[in-house]
């Protein structure tokens, strides 16, 4: 893993069971077939260096798309992994996103309910119909928020200071009720509110961080798999953040 030696891992929380980190834009959540850097390999390198073991246990509990930044939790034990994976199917495991979108935002808040079909050939997802046997129900709620209230402001603000497209830029807070492939990207685009820089889904060009779209998993909440304590972590909470090298 020598190629990762200069890459930083930003840890919000760590104990013997969990690692909660900030995944940056442009990085995969887990190891894949490419030689590009990924968050899982960086964390394994960090744990290997810390524990002096060659293959420390680390489980990927959930994922974020490569162009999306956000808060993620990884499990350091099989027991924690099983518990967190079970929580994914309940309200205990909650994620709040923030995004910059263009287009016409029809109200101050809303709820989108669609049926989505993923195309494995193109790697995209589109809104289809309930009659499609491959379609899965997708639900999210959104609320427009003022610029100064955006928790991930330093990440998303670069998009808002670029020349505005027709209809201007809008900041949204988004809560998923389901978790589908490219759900937020596909549903917002279909609703006429594509995410800035997400050209794959019709988003307006914008000059933000390289390899990024204006979408951030800004808050993550879940119950600790051992203590049962309800924990919440935010992207902008740098109070106890630790930056370490992935090796």
């Amino acid at each position: 893993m020598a190629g990762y030696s200069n890459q930083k891992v930003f840890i919000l929380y760590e104990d013997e069971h969990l690692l909660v980190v900030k995944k940056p834009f442009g990085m995969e959540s887990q190891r894949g077939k490419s030689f590009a850097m990924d968050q899982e390999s960086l964390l394994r390198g960090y744990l290997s260096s810390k524990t002096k073991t060659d293959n420390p246990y680390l489980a990927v509990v959930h994922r974020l798309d490569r162009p999306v930044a956000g808060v993620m939790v990884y499990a350091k034990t099989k027991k924690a992994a099983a518990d967190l994976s079970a929580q994914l199917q309940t309200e205990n495991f909650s994620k709040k996103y923030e995004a910059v979108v263009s287009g016409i935002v029809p109200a101050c808040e809303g709820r989108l309910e669609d049926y989505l079909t993923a195309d494995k050939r193109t790697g995209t997802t589109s809104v289809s119909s309930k009659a499609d046997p491959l379609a899965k129900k997708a639900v999210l709620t959104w609320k427009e928020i003022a610029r100064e209230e955006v928790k991930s402001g330093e990440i998303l603000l670069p998009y808002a200071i670029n020349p505005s497209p027709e209809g201007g830029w809008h900041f949204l807070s988004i809560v998923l009720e389901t978790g589908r492939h490219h759900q937020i990207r596909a549903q917002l685009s279909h609703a006429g509110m594509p995410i800035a820089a997400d050209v794959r889904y019709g988003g307006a060009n914008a000059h933000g961080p390289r390899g990024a779209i204006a979408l951030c998993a800004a808050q993550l909440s879940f119950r600790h798999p051992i203590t049962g304590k309800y924990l919440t972590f935010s992207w902008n909470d740098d109070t106890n953040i630790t930056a370490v090298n992935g090796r």
Side-chain angles (χ1 to χ4, degrees), residues 74-242:
Y74 292 78
K76 293 169 63 177
T77 65
K78 291 182 179 179
K79 183 176 182 179
D83 185 277
L84 289 169
S85 295
Q87 286 190 54
L88 280 172
Q89 311 304 319
T90 72
E91 294 182 353
N92 286 338
F93 199 97
S94 173
K95 292 182 284 185
K96 181 180 289 185
Y97 292 79
E98 290 171 356
V100 176
V101 304
S102 59
I104 305 301
V105 176
C108 294
E109 57 187 64
R111 185 174 187 268
L112 300 179
E113 182 175 319
D114 299 293
Y115 284 85
L116 302 181
T117 301
D119 187 332
K120 293 182 179 180
R121 181 179 58 84
T122 63
T124 59
T125 291
S126 59
V127 173
S128 55
S129 69
K130 186 177 181 180
D132 185 339
L134 298 178
K136 296 181 179 180
K137 187 176 181 179
V139 182
L140 64 79
T141 57
W142 61 269
K143 181 178 181 179
E144 187 167 17
I145 51 180
R147 179 175 303 182
E148 61 270 17
E149 294 174 337
V150 178
K151 295 182 177 64
S152 49
E154 73 277 13
I155 291 294
L156 297 182
L157 279 176
Y159 294 96
I161 60 177
N162 282 284
S164 297
E166 185 176 356
W169 296 119
H170 304 270
F171 287 89
L172 302 184
S173 174
I174 302 150
V175 176
L176 290 175
E177 294 184 20
T178 56
R180 308 301 183 200
H181 179 260
H182 289 187
Q183 179 179 337
I184 296 175
R185 300 166 68 180
Q187 285 194 278
L188 289 181
S189 177
H190 182 72
M193 301 181 289
I195 296 171
D198 194 5
V199 294
R200 199 173 192 182
Y201 286 91
N205 287 320
H207 301 289
R210 184 178 179 182
I213 62 175
L215 178 63
C216 178
Q219 184 174 292
L220 175 66
S221 301
F222 57 87
R223 289 199 179 278
H224 193 285
I226 306 303
T227 68
K229 183 179 179 181
Y230 198 65
L231 304 173
T232 296
F233 301 96
S234 298
W235 177 271
N236 70 321
D237 184 6
D238 292 334
T239 305
N240 298 307
I241 196 168
T242 303

